[in-house]
């Protein structure tokens, strides 16, 4: 059935946000994630700098409740100037 999600909601959904290393990058990403997934536990956020330190990847596992929630979250993250990609 075309257009149907393979995910069953709610579910744990990992997001990896890759962006340019900036002092406020993780805080900015976290603010967006919390807006769309208010129950996200900040303590589970993981950060990893690239080998040369130019980029930073932030991994968040959210409790996804709907496709619309994920679409809106991806869109807002991708609209951030420092974000290179969201996986």
């Amino acid at each position: 059935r075309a257009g149907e999600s393979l995910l069953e909601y709610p579910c744990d959904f990992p997001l990896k946000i890759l962006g340019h290393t900036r002092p406020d990058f993780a805080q900015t990403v976290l603010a967006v994630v919390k807006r769309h997934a208010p129950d996200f536990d900040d303590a589970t956020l993981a950060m990893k700098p690239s080998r040369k330190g130019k980029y930073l990847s932030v991994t968040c596992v959210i409790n996804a409740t709907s496709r619309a929630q994920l679409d809106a979250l991806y869109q807002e993250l991708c609209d951030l100037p420092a974000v290179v990609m969201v996986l």
Side-chain angles (χ1 to χ4, degrees):
R1 292 180 286 214
E4 228 180 84
S5 175
L6 298 175
L7 296 174
E8 286 189 23
Y9 299 99
C11 65
D12 285 346
F13 190 86
L15 283 168
K16 187 175 229 175
I17 303 102
L18 182 69
H20 296 280
T21 300
R22 294 191 179 157
D24 63 344
F25 181 69
Q27 290 86 344
T28 303
V29 165
L30 183 60
V32 172
V33 168
K34 296 279 280 192
R35 215 174 3 263
H36 294 273
D39 57 350
F40 176 71
D41 179 1
D42 304 28
T44 65
L45 182 135
M47 291 186 290
K48 185 178 177 198
S50 64
R51 204 167 350 134
K52 294 187 178 167
K54 185 176 178 186
Y55 300 102
L56 182 66
S57 85
V58 175
T59 303
C60 307
V61 179
I62 66 161
N63 177 36
T65 54
S66 70
R67 176 62 192 258
Q69 174 204 32
L70 290 176
D71 287 348
L73 177 53
Y74 268 93
Q75 187 59 58
E76 192 171 345
L77 286 170
C78 289
D79 288 345
L80 294 174
V83 169
V84 176
M85 72 175 125
V86 181
L87 304 169

